[in-house]
Amino acid sequence: MSTKPFKAAVIQAASIPTDSIECALKAAQLIREAASHGAKVLVFPEAFLGGYPKGNSFGSPIGMRKPTGRDAYATYYSQAITLDGEEIAILNEAVADTATVVVIGCIERDGGTLYCTALYFSGEQGLIGKHRKLMPTAGERLIWGFGDGSTMEAFDTPYGRIGAVICWENYMPMLRMHMYSQGVSLYCAPTADDRDTWLPTMRHVALEGRCFVLTACQHLRREAYPDDFECSLGNDPQTVLLRGGSAIVDPTGAVIAGPDYAGETILYADIDPVMVPRGKFDFDATGHYARPDIFQLKVDIGAKKSVSTVGGD
């Protein structure tokens, strides 16, 4: 890990939820643009590839599943990506060309289930890991499966140890504690939460973890979806479904980039890694401030499979 300062970026952009290949190409272009301005670490929003279907109920009142909702899910399923697909190859190439570290949200298709996932890319290595959202929020549980403890690993990069916690997972104290215990210095928070309350949460996380927090949210309008997309927010093409609010926060809780609510943009900030150990001088949540004689957290990082086979040749 380098201790030299570097530039980070959060990408506040609208996804192309109807075409995952075009969306991956857009992401690749944004990676190259940010890298041309010196950014070494880039964070994209939640569900950037595959889309965040804001306002869609998928035709599912309690106790019912309407045929139109099944059709909507089938369409959404077809837009999701697999980790051996062309979208990954496009991103691998962009990351290798720019020697950057990228965290990007996607909707991952695995069997018959969709997962809200954050993907990690690093330079020539390409895709190095993923994190599946542990707890989809409210109506998200209808369309996304639950991640398990096997995808909560943080990763070493040339710019520090990086981890991703998606949207309202950041309100899970034990998950935050697990991230801090892994020595994360770059805490990434892809999100779809564009409310005024989000930035105070990110400042708290930065101060609690004594880490840099990079949070990215889409700036997305209704026009990104076709006319027949069900949307409880209305059908005016210019209606803003997600208003952004992306930001970068330093280990003292100070906001050093953003928030921005005006439109699509890239926000940059200079990151000085020495601020992390400086901050831990008086507070280390999983070290000298932890009191393990009183409090202990047990984390199961094993994969949980619904079907296992035995025997055979």
Side-chain angles (χ1 to χ4, degrees):
M1 167 188 158
S2 172
T3 58
K4 297 180 180 179
F6 62 91
K7 186 176 287 187
V10 288
I11 312 296
Q12 180 166 294
S15 70
I16 305 174
T18 57
D19 191 326
S20 60
I21 298 297
E22 285 299 314
C23 193
L25 290 169
K26 178 176 181 176
Q29 185 272 327
L30 290 166
I31 290 168
R32 292 186 169 94
E33 178 182 346
S36 73
H37 287 85
K40 300 298 183 183
V41 176
L42 292 73
V43 179
F44 282 78
E46 178 180 15
F48 190 77
L49 299 171
Y52 189 86
K54 182 75 174 281
N56 196 321
S57 71
F58 288 84
S60 295
I62 297 299
M64 293 178 60
R65 263 74 60 199
K66 298 178 182 178
T68 54
R70 293 189 184 276
D71 292 340
Y73 180 78
T75 298
Y76 192 49
Y77 182 88
S78 71
Q79 294 160 359
I81 71 166
T82 59
L83 300 192
D84 58 356
E86 184 178 350
E87 298 88 352
I88 300 300
I90 291 169
L91 295 177
N92 277 338
E93 181 180 6
V95 170
D97 288 348
T98 57
T100 52
V101 172
V102 173
V103 172
I104 185 169
C106 76
I107 302 305
E108 177 197 359
R109 185 171 67 244
D110 186 359
T113 297
L114 302 180
Y115 297 92
C116 180
T117 299
L119 303 176
Y120 299 85
F121 295 83
S122 182
E124 295 292 341
Q125 295 174 275
L127 180 63
I128 59 172
K130 70 179 182 183
H131 166 60
R132 286 177 173 173
K133 193 173 187 178
L134 297 179
M135 195 65 197
T137 302
E140 295 171 357
R141 295 172 205 169
L142 178 69
I143 53 173
W144 299 340
F146 293 62
D148 63 27
S150 67
T151 69
M152 298 192 303
E153 180 183 3
F155 296 90
D156 288 318
T157 77
Y159 307 104
R161 195 154 174 80
I162 194 166
V165 181
I166 304 169
C167 204
W168 274 26
E169 287 187 317
N170 286 280
Y171 292 117
M172 300 173 72
M174 290 177 282
L175 176 53
R176 297 201 311 269
M177 191 70 165
H178 177 58
M179 277 294 162
Y180 304 152
S181 75
Q182 296 182 74
V184 168
S185 59
L186 298 168
Y187 183 113
C188 304
T191 190
D193 191 333
D194 60 1
R195 300 174 305 161
D196 291 341
T197 50
W198 184 249
L199 185 59
T201 294
M202 296 294 94
R203 297 184 70 182
H204 171 90
V205 171
L207 190 59
E208 180 180 68
R210 293 300 202 261
C211 53
F212 288 91
V213 172
L214 297 87
T215 184
C217 182
Q218 295 186 46
H219 194 282
L220 182 72
R221 297 182 187 273
R222 173 67 176 80
E223 63 188 0
Y225 287 96
D227 292 343
D228 62 355
F229 175 80
E230 178 205 350
C231 184
S232 63
L233 298 175
N235 292 316
D236 183 340
Q238 294 307 305
T239 296
V240 175
L241 303 185
L242 295 167
R243 66 179 184 133
S246 304
I248 302 175
V249 187
D250 77 14
T252 72
V255 180
I256 55 177
D260 189 297
Y261 299 101
E264 293 190 81
T265 189
I266 302 177
L267 301 172
Y268 300 93
D270 293 322
I271 304 296
D272 185 357
V274 78
M275 290 190 70
V276 174
R278 288 183 78 255
K280 291 189 177 181
F281 170 63
D282 58 355
F283 188 88
D284 183 2
T286 59
H288 61 77
Y289 227 90
R291 291 301 306 270
D293 55 320
I294 304 173
F295 307 109
Q296 294 184 25
L297 174 64
K298 179 180 179 181
V299 181
D300 185 346
I301 61 171
K304 301 297 184 288
K305 296 183 178 181
S306 57
V307 178
S308 299
T309 57
V310 297
D313 295 333

